[in-house]
Each structure stands twice: as structure tokens, then as C-alpha cells.
Amino acid sequence: MEEIQNSEHKKACANCGAEMKFKPGSHQLTCEYCGYEEFIEQSKSSFEELELAHYLKIVGENAYTETIELLHCKNCGANQHVEENYKSLDCVYCGEPLIREDAEVEGWITPGALVPFQLDVKKARNIFKNWVGSLWFAPNKLKRAALNPEGLHGLYVPYWTFDANLHATYQGQRGDYYYETQTYNSNKGKRTRQVRKTRWTYASGTVNGFVDDILINASNRKRREIPSKVAFWNLKDLVGFNTKYLSGFVTEKYTVSLKEGHHLSFQEAKNIAYNWIRRDIGGDTQRIANADIKLTDETFKHVLLPIYLSAYRYNGKEYSFYINGQTGAVSGKRPYSFWKIFFLVLFILVLIGLFAIFAK
């Protein structure tokens, strides 16, 4: 078993000694006090794809594991690492206060790669502000939240990615549409119509291919799932993991185990195999009676992906707003102001009443 090492260290400015932060959109650390910048040295070798079968056997022994200091939210269950210089001690997901003294050191499977933030917090805040400003009937409290500089947090979200060679043999049926003319009685006498039918023929065969980067969310969020509109990253921008990219941001630890993530990835691989089979069968429609799907040469990575998040409570309900830290895509559930809608309806009714009076 490899020696467990601490994965987080303070990045001190070589010029003034202040703590440095990662500069989004670059491969540099920057000092907010004196402006000094330091280049993050890239690994000469590409990030490693780990052999899945071998790793599943030894992961229980904490092999290839480092440690990370985590704060556990008792309200929503999120496990998050907070840098020393991070001012907010509220959960980034639900806003529940976190107690720094409750931090625990835990082992984790070291990330193999990450997509660095491309948007800094100023750009993200402007995107969020403009989005909130475009919402009809948004509560004033929500608009004030968009202006709160402490309300938006940069978060690295954990994902598993899986690769494999896929081989599947299948049996099924190919359906080809054809049309028959049918005669029927109506109020206007006999009529004809075209009725679509399907001619089924037996089909069987094999499909093969490489399945690349099946992405599995490694955070069990329950009610706080990242909207699909936002949860899309260009994985070509992945770089080898370096803790310097985490400086100034919150990092969430996975709560979906590697074994569970692998199980979920097989379901995705099965969907991919069925799409390949349908395409191989051809025709207008297909039936798949059975399919024997096998994955070989399976590998995986633990990766971190960037999100900006604002958690907001209104009338006792929890709302979350997300901005993709790479693309700037924004989405989230929003509350409506009852009083704004009420007064608008009242205003319309008054106008209708006045129009009716003057029309007499």
C-alpha cells in the first residue's frame, strides 16, 4: 500500500507571502495583493487511465489514496473541502452553516484529471445577475441575492469516467413499414384510407466498438441534481490533476463509490449497445429479443469538473442556481413572487373594468 500523503498545501506568494489562488482561464496562480503570478507546471505525461478490474480489488486497501480535509453538511450530506482563505463557511448546496472545527481528514481516490475553471467569479456573477434580471415575477430577495458577492461559489464536482471495448451479440426483429388501403363507412358513404402496417423479419448479428468517457456523476445529490443544460463539459480540456487548480475554490468529495459508479456506467454502456444494435438491424423500427453485452479492457478516471453555484431559500423552499464554470451555461429552479403576480392580475382586472365602463 502506498504511503498516504496530504493533498492540500497553502500556496504562498513568493513575492509577499500571501496565499495565492488559481486564475480561471489560465494555467497560473495569482496573488490578489501584489499581482505576482506563478505558472502551474503541466505533467509531461498525460493523465493516467486506471485499469478498473485491478483497482476494484485493491481500492479497499486505500492504494493510490491521498487525504483531504472535509466539512460534512448535516443538512444535505455534501462532503466539501474548503480552502483556508475561503470566507464562507456555509454549505455551497443548501446554505447550512458549517463548523470548521468539525472538519475531518478522509482518504479519497486521487483525481486523475480536472477541467480548470475558465470563468472567474466576476464573469460568473454577471452571468447570474443578467439571468435573474431576465426572469419574470422573480422575488426582490432573489434579485438582491444575485448582487451578493458572497452568494456565488466556485465548486469542483466529482465525476467518474469509464472507457471500455464493447462487444455484443443479439437476436431480434427488423420492422419495415408498408401501407394498405382500407375501405370504411362514413356519414358521406364509403371512404378509403391508408393504414400503416409493419412487416417483421428475423435479425441477428454482432456489434463492436470503443466506448469513450462514459460520465457518471459521483455525488449523490438527491434534490440538488445539476440540470442537464449545465452538466456538459468539453473533456478535451482535461488536464492532469494538480492541487494548485483547487486554490480559491470548494472541492466536493465523491459519495458514489467506484463500484457503484461502475454499475451505473454499465447501464449507460447497455444503452449505447442497444443504439448500435438498432442501427445494425436497420429498417423503420426494431425489436431486440436478447443481447449479450460484454465489456473488456475497462479503465476509469476520477475527474473534477467546474460549476458555480448559488443556493437560495425562499418561503421555506430550497433553490439552487448553476453556472457551468467552463462554458457559462446557466440554469436553475426559480421561485415566483406571489404579490407581483397578484398585483399584475389586479391591474389587468382594473383595466378591463375601466374599459367596460368607458365602452358604455
Side-chain angles (χ1 to χ4, degrees):
M1 183 175 68
E2 292 191 358
E3 181 182 357
I4 294 178
Q5 299 177 346
N6 196 322
S7 64
E8 296 300 319
H9 303 279
K10 183 176 179 180
K11 292 80 180 176
C13 175
N15 188 44
C16 70
E19 187 168 1
M20 301 183 73
K21 295 182 180 180
F22 170 63
K23 182 180 180 181
S26 74
H27 294 284
Q28 293 174 311
L29 293 174
T30 184
C31 177
E32 296 180 346
Y33 292 93
C34 69
Y36 175 78
E37 294 186 341
E38 178 182 310
F39 184 74
I40 300 175
E41 184 177 355
Q42 301 298 298
S43 174
K44 294 181 180 179
S45 59
S46 60
F47 43 83
E48 183 181 6
E49 295 278 356
L50 299 175
E51 182 185 349
L52 180 63
H54 173 69
Y55 205 86
L56 283 173
K57 291 180 181 179
I58 65 173
V59 70
E61 302 173 6
N62 291 325
Y64 307 107
T65 299
E66 293 187 354
T67 60
I68 187 171
E69 187 178 79
L70 295 172
L71 288 168
H72 178 75
C73 179
K74 297 179 181 179
N75 182 50
C76 70
N79 291 319
Q80 47 212 295
H81 168 76
V82 182
E83 290 280 348
E84 291 182 5
N85 65 349
Y86 208 89
K87 296 180 182 179
S88 175
L89 282 177
D90 294 338
C91 175
V92 295
Y93 281 109
C94 67
E96 186 77 6
L98 300 175
I99 302 174
R100 190 180 297 278
E101 287 73 18
D102 290 342
E104 297 181 357
V105 176
E106 296 184 11
W108 70 337
I109 298 175
T110 311
L114 57 80
V115 172
F117 276 87
Q118 296 299 306
L119 303 176
D120 60 27
V121 69
K122 183 178 179 180
K123 291 181 181 178
R125 193 176 296 128
N126 285 334
I127 291 173
F128 182 46
K129 178 182 175 181
N130 291 336
W131 183 75
V132 170
S134 69
L135 299 177
W136 284 70
F137 308 119
N140 291 331
K141 288 184 179 180
L142 174 59
K143 295 189 175 183
R144 287 196 294 271
L147 299 174
N148 180 8
E150 301 297 329
L152 194 66
H153 304 282
L155 173 70
Y156 278 109
V157 184
Y159 278 80
W160 302 112
T161 71
F162 297 89
D163 299 341
N165 287 314
L166 187 153
H167 176 84
T169 59
Y170 68 87
Q171 292 178 320
Q173 291 179 305
R174 167 178 171 147
D176 294 289
Y177 296 148
Y178 66 97
Y179 294 84
E180 289 185 350
T181 301
Q182 288 187 352
T183 302
Y184 66 98
N185 295 320
S186 71
N187 294 333
K188 298 180 180 180
K190 290 186 177 182
R191 292 284 189 270
T192 60
R193 60 189 173 193
Q194 294 293 306
V195 178
R196 190 182 77 182
K197 295 191 174 183
T198 304
R199 182 180 293 107
W200 294 101
T201 55
Y202 175 77
S204 65
T206 62
V207 293
N208 300 277
F210 180 69
V211 180
D212 188 28
D213 282 337
I214 295 179
L215 198 63
I216 300 298
N217 192 328
S219 176
N220 186 13
R221 288 187 183 80
K222 298 180 181 178
R223 301 186 309 276
R224 54 195 201 288
E225 187 70 27
I226 296 177
S228 58
K229 180 181 177 181
V230 174
F232 177 80
W233 296 266
N234 183 359
L235 298 185
K236 292 181 180 179
D237 290 341
L238 283 168
V239 300
F241 177 71
N242 190 317
T243 58
K244 292 181 179 179
Y245 287 107
L246 309 185
S247 183
F249 297 97
V250 177
T251 304
E252 183 180 6
K253 182 190 174 184
Y254 53 84
T255 51
V256 174
S257 69
L258 175 61
K259 185 176 181 179
E260 184 181 356
H262 176 230
H263 174 73
L264 294 172
S265 76
F266 183 80
Q267 299 305 311
E268 293 294 324
K270 182 179 178 180
N271 294 335
I272 293 172
Y274 271 57
N275 287 333
W276 290 359
I277 290 171
R278 291 188 183 94
R279 188 165 60 243
D280 194 59
I281 291 175
D284 297 310
T285 186
Q286 304 82 30
R287 290 174 177 168
I288 301 174
N290 58 73
D292 182 17
I293 302 169
K294 294 181 179 179
L295 300 177
T296 59
D297 303 320
E298 293 181 86
T299 59
F300 81 98
K301 293 188 302 294
H302 170 208
V303 301
L304 301 175
L305 302 176
I307 281 286
Y308 281 104
L309 169 65
S310 178
Y312 176 76
R313 299 188 72 87
Y314 180 73
N315 283 347
K317 293 184 179 181
E318 185 179 309
Y319 298 89
S320 295
F321 306 89
Y322 301 87
I323 300 172
N324 187 301
Q326 180 191 38
T327 67
V330 59
S331 184
K333 294 182 179 179
R334 48 77 51 88
Y336 289 85
S337 170
F338 167 80
W339 291 111
K340 286 186 178 182
I341 297 175
F342 173 79
F343 285 118
L344 176 64
V345 172
L346 182 62
F347 177 72
I348 293 173
L349 292 175
V350 170
L351 287 180
I352 293 174
L354 291 174
F355 179 80
I357 291 174
F358 287 108
K360 291 182 178 180

